[in-house]
Amino acid sequence: MKRRTTARKVAQLAIPTILLASIFSLVGLGAQTAAPPAKPVAKPTVKPTVTVAPGPKPQLLGKRMKFQDFVKDQHRLDSLIKAVGVMKTNSTRPPGDFLYRISWEYWGAMHGFFGKGAKAGMLQDAINRAPANKKQFFEGLHDLTYPPTPPGLAQQVWDKCTHSGAQVNLQFLTWHRIYLFYFEKVLQASANDTTLHLPYWDYTDPAQVQLPAAFAKEKLSNGQPNPLYDKRRRSQTVKLDPAITNIDTLLTESDFEDFSPDLEQQPHGTTHCAVGPDCPYPLMGKVAVAGNDPIFWLHHANIDRIFECWLKLGGDVPADLLDKEYPFIDANGNLVKMTLRKLPIDYTYDHVTSCGRKATPKFGPRTEGLEAVQPVVKVENFAINKAKESVKLAVPKTGAATEHLNRALATAESVSAPRLTRTELALGDITIPGDDPGVLYNVFLTTTGANPRRQYVGTLSFFGLDHHEGASKTLNRKIDVTAALKALKGKLKDLPEIQVVFEATDGTPGVKPESLTPQGGLRVGSIQLQVKGK
């Protein structure tokens, strides 16, 4: 079509040029009869010009920024505050009003809620189960009921968050990415500002582990209540332990089946519990109401950014998850169904490369056989009843399994190249037989004897284990301990005697385990050291 249009334009411009040339030619013939012949004068060739309409401008993507940069522009912060304030005001609208469907309460309920038919059950039951010092954090909450109009709509979109327990749920990252996308659209509509994009709380940076100051102020500068503030937190100056927010090892996990559940546990679950206060207590520590705390959205924006960092390293999502369809609500309060593959992403993150504290290599080609698991040593039915417990792992000095372990540690690549093996501490069937522990547990590998050396390897969080009322509160966790074992072995020929140490923590830096009193115990069905891969 373009060629025909251009040819037509050329022809239209050429016709008058030919006519003019004919007229000048006739005038020249008349002059030749009245005067001596003159030397012909060469005339410049007239080239027709063709104007091409400019093509569509490339779409300018919005930017999700780390919060410390986001607040450098007061307009951005004011727009976020306005949006959250409007959404909270809309929570008082009649349930059948479309503005209620783009309210703070409605969007929190899409993650979870208390009420008849909810996964978390009734609010009063949760209050009755909570210890006395946690009951205060339920203040201001109430049971919700599905709005009757539009009929059946809320049933499709409420209480749909995806979290893992005994069975790993690999939809955690995909569902939450679409959730954030449509929430951002509602924010923009509420602020009447299409340039507003979710900022993120980058606690992976040790300098940014404290709750952002804009969320800690009860009042705005004009004396009005601050929509970003909520008193139901551990404190308004809570800091996260930088050891728990380090994602260097996480970013080396090339398989989605490893990466997704590990990210969900840490730093996702650990941050929920640390801000909490504690799990499973409101707001951030309880799935049913976590979305009611404004910091929830910046926390999940950071989790989604870490997901994007992993994708930039060469990670990929299984096709069935890319095509899994979920129902949501758009900025007009209407039902929309969307898959991750079709999601019309119109934003970028400001920082999705070099996301760890150390350089992370891109993933190499997939190699067959990396899923094979070689057990090395196993301990069964270990109880954790105190703030600090330890158990020895009696690694045999000889045998095929030990040789496999030593070979894996000797040939494990440095951080500058992708690893072909992953030495894991597999903690299976971690159950909570009684009361929820009310604490996190840091996990260390240490040597035994005098002056033991120790390496931090991970933190157990229990966020979401109680979300399905009456369900078994069981957790499985696999922790990459390759670097820790290499550090403990050092230049020794054989791995020294090691033990696993569990220490209670609240997720903040410097807390002493003996200063905490777990409310209930844990039982670890199996503790296994194993090598995954070649």
Side-chain angles (χ1 to χ4, degrees):
M1 181 62 74
K2 278 189 175 180
R3 288 179 182 169
R4 293 179 184 173
T5 303
T6 304
R8 191 180 299 117
K9 287 184 178 179
V10 172
Q12 290 172 348
L13 289 169
I15 289 170
T17 303
I18 295 170
L19 289 174
L20 286 173
S22 299
I23 293 170
F24 286 133
S25 176
L26 291 172
V27 171
L29 287 172
Q32 287 178 9
T33 63
K39 293 182 179 180
V41 178
K43 289 183 170 52
T45 304
V46 179
K47 294 182 178 180
T49 58
V50 179
T51 303
V52 179
K57 293 182 179 180
Q59 182 184 15
L60 296 178
L61 298 178
K63 186 175 290 185
R64 289 184 179 175
M65 308 171 66
K66 59 180 65 179
F67 193 69
Q68 63 264 36
D69 291 334
F70 179 88
V71 297
K72 291 177 181 177
D73 184 336
Q74 187 63 40
H75 169 76
R76 286 193 294 252
L77 180 59
D78 290 343
S79 192
L80 177 64
I81 291 171
K82 176 183 177 181
V84 175
V86 168
M87 289 184 70
K88 288 188 173 183
T89 298
N90 285 338
S91 296
T92 62
R93 295 278 183 170
D97 192 330
F98 95 93
L99 288 176
Y100 180 67
R101 298 198 293 278
I102 55 173
S103 72
W104 195 254
E105 183 171 276
Y106 197 100
W107 272 81
M110 289 170 68
H111 193 260
F113 72 102
F114 283 116
K116 187 176 180 180
K119 295 174 185 175
M122 304 298 288
L123 175 63
Q124 190 58 53
D125 292 336
I127 295 174
N128 293 341
R129 290 192 296 267
N133 65 336
K134 294 296 191 300
K135 294 184 187 297
Q136 60 181 309
F137 297 102
F138 290 85
E139 181 183 342
L141 298 176
H142 57 275
D143 288 318
L144 300 180
T145 57
Y146 292 113
T149 55
L153 179 59
Q155 285 87 336
Q156 292 187 65
V157 296
W158 277 20
D159 213 9
K160 300 301 182 184
C161 71
T162 55
H163 293 286
S164 299
Q167 301 300 319
V168 171
N169 189 333
L170 293 178
Q171 299 178 55
F172 166 69
L173 289 172
T174 55
W175 184 88
H176 280 85
R177 171 162 285 195
I178 305 174
Y179 186 40
L180 290 185
F181 177 85
Y182 285 107
F183 175 78
E184 185 172 87
K185 295 304 177 190
V186 174
L187 274 185
Q188 293 171 351
S190 301
N192 193 25
D193 181 1
T194 58
T195 69
L196 175 61
H197 289 273
L198 268 174
Y200 62 91
W201 176 19
D202 185 17
Y203 40 71
T204 63
D205 179 354
Q208 301 297 328
V209 292
Q210 183 169 328
L211 181 78
F215 289 75
K217 299 173 183 177
E218 187 173 359
K219 301 286 186 180
L220 300 173
S221 58
N222 61 7
Q224 294 297 312
N226 178 10
L228 304 182
Y229 173 86
D230 200 292
K231 66 180 181 179
R232 293 163 292 189
R233 296 170 182 149
R234 184 178 301 279
S235 77
Q236 300 306 322
T237 57
V238 61
K239 289 184 179 180
L240 307 180
D241 185 346
I244 296 177
T245 65
N246 188 339
I247 60 172
D248 286 355
T249 299
L250 177 69
L251 290 176
T252 67
E253 298 175 3
S254 59
D255 291 334
F256 187 79
E257 291 78 4
D258 291 327
F259 172 77
S260 179
D262 283 357
L263 173 58
E264 182 183 351
Q265 263 283 309
Q266 183 182 347
H268 166 257
T270 52
T271 298
H272 269 284
C273 297
V275 175
D278 302 325
C279 287
Y281 308 112
L283 286 175
M284 277 282 279
K286 184 75 174 177
V287 170
V289 289
N292 288 275
D293 189 333
I295 199 60
F296 167 93
W297 301 98
L298 273 71
H299 166 42
H300 267 274
N302 195 39
I303 294 299
D304 189 65
R305 180 190 67 92
I306 295 170
F307 180 25
E308 188 66 20
C309 291
W310 181 80
L311 292 172
K312 295 294 184 186
L313 289 170
D316 54 41
V317 179
D320 62 324
L321 295 178
L322 289 175
D323 296 319
K324 173 72 175 176
E325 188 176 76
Y326 302 103
F328 284 97
I329 297 295
D330 66 15
N332 295 315
N334 297 322
L335 177 69
V336 59
K337 295 184 178 181
M338 183 56 63
T339 68
L340 186 59
R341 192 188 298 277
K342 295 180 180 179
L343 189 67
I345 292 176
D346 57 356
Y347 62 85
T348 60
Y349 284 101
D350 63 350
H351 182 47
V352 290
T353 58
S354 302
C355 300
R357 299 175 193 175
K358 295 180 181 178
T360 307
K362 289 196 172 184
F363 306 136
R366 301 287 176 178
T367 305
E368 295 297 327
L370 295 187
E371 297 79 15
V373 172
Q374 173 69 56
V376 178
V377 61
K378 185 176 184 179
V379 175
E380 294 183 315
N381 294 321
F382 180 72
I384 302 175
N385 295 314
K386 297 181 295 185
K388 186 174 181 178
E389 300 274 12
S390 62
V391 56
K392 290 182 180 179
L393 293 181
V395 178
K397 295 296 182 182
T398 60
T402 303
E403 290 178 7
H404 192 62
L405 173 63
N406 289 333
R407 185 167 59 252
L409 295 179
T411 60
E413 291 85 350
S414 67
V415 75
S416 62
R419 285 183 293 134
L420 297 179
T421 58
R422 166 183 160 110
T423 308
E424 297 175 330
L425 182 67
L427 306 175
D429 293 328
I430 306 171
T431 57
I432 305 173
D435 293 335
D436 294 287
V439 295
L440 304 164
Y441 275 95
N442 284 336
V443 184
F444 299 87
L445 289 183
T446 77
T447 58
T448 59
N451 302 315
R453 292 175 289 117
R454 60 193 251 149
Q455 293 285 321
Y456 167 80
V457 295
T459 300
L460 300 179
S461 67
F462 308 101
F463 180 72
L465 289 192
D466 69 324
H467 188 47
H468 293 76
E469 187 181 38
S472 172
K473 292 183 283 188
T474 305
L475 172 70
N476 292 306
R477 181 80 190 275
K478 294 178 182 178
I479 304 174
D480 189 330
V481 296
T482 310
L485 287 176
K486 283 175 67 68
L488 292 176
K489 183 178 180 181
K491 296 182 179 180
L492 298 174
K493 178 182 177 182
D494 297 315
L495 186 70
E497 185 178 55
I498 60 172
Q499 60 184 355
V500 184
V501 178
F502 300 90
E503 293 185 359
T505 179
D506 60 10
T508 65
V511 64
K512 302 295 184 183
E514 54 269 20
S515 69
L516 302 173
T517 304
Q519 295 157 191
L522 303 174
R523 182 167 294 278
V524 186
S526 64
I527 302 173
Q528 178 166 287
L529 186 63
Q530 61 190 35
V531 178
K532 180 179 179 181
K534 291 188 173 182

